[in-house]
Amino acid sequence: AIDSQVLVGHDVIIADNVQIRGGSIIGGFSKIGQNTIVGIGSKFLQRSVLGKNSLSSVNSIVSKNYEDNTKVVSQPSKIFKNN
């Protein structure tokens, strides 16, 4: 599900069962894995990847590639927990 006020750039790949919360911006060529939650106001810089079963917290800035099962927080993002 993609909430209102979400901007999605060109050539973005969004897998199944992804939740993108309001105010988020997804830069071009980014990839969001299956069963992932993108928190309110999160920003993905171009070519960023958030793997499946992952979470970006509220207002996170995702600026690089993160593996599956990862929780990222802060600005810029840091791995909080990788299962």
Side-chain angles (χ1 to χ4, degrees):
I2 300 176
D3 289 352
S4 63
Q5 303 298 315
V6 172
L7 299 175
V8 179
H10 57 87
D11 298 305
V12 171
I13 297 173
I14 301 173
D16 293 333
N17 199 33
V18 170
Q19 297 178 30
I20 303 177
R21 299 301 181 203
S24 296
I25 299 173
I26 313 299
F29 299 103
S30 294
K31 296 179 184 176
I32 303 173
Q34 186 176 16
N35 302 318
T36 294
I37 299 172
V38 177
I40 294 170
S42 292
K43 313 294 187 276
F44 280 61
L45 300 185
Q46 285 193 350
R47 302 184 189 281
S48 298
V49 175
L50 187 57
K52 64 183 179 179
N53 304 312
S54 296
L55 167 75
S56 71
S57 70
V58 173
N59 291 321
S60 290
I61 297 176
V62 179
S63 59
K64 58 184 181 178
N65 298 344
Y66 291 97
E67 299 176 2
D68 296 347
N69 305 306
T70 301
K71 295 177 184 173
V72 293
V73 297
S74 190
Q75 298 178 14
S77 305
K78 298 175 186 168
I79 295 176
F80 176 71
K81 184 176 181 182
N82 193 341
N83 296 334

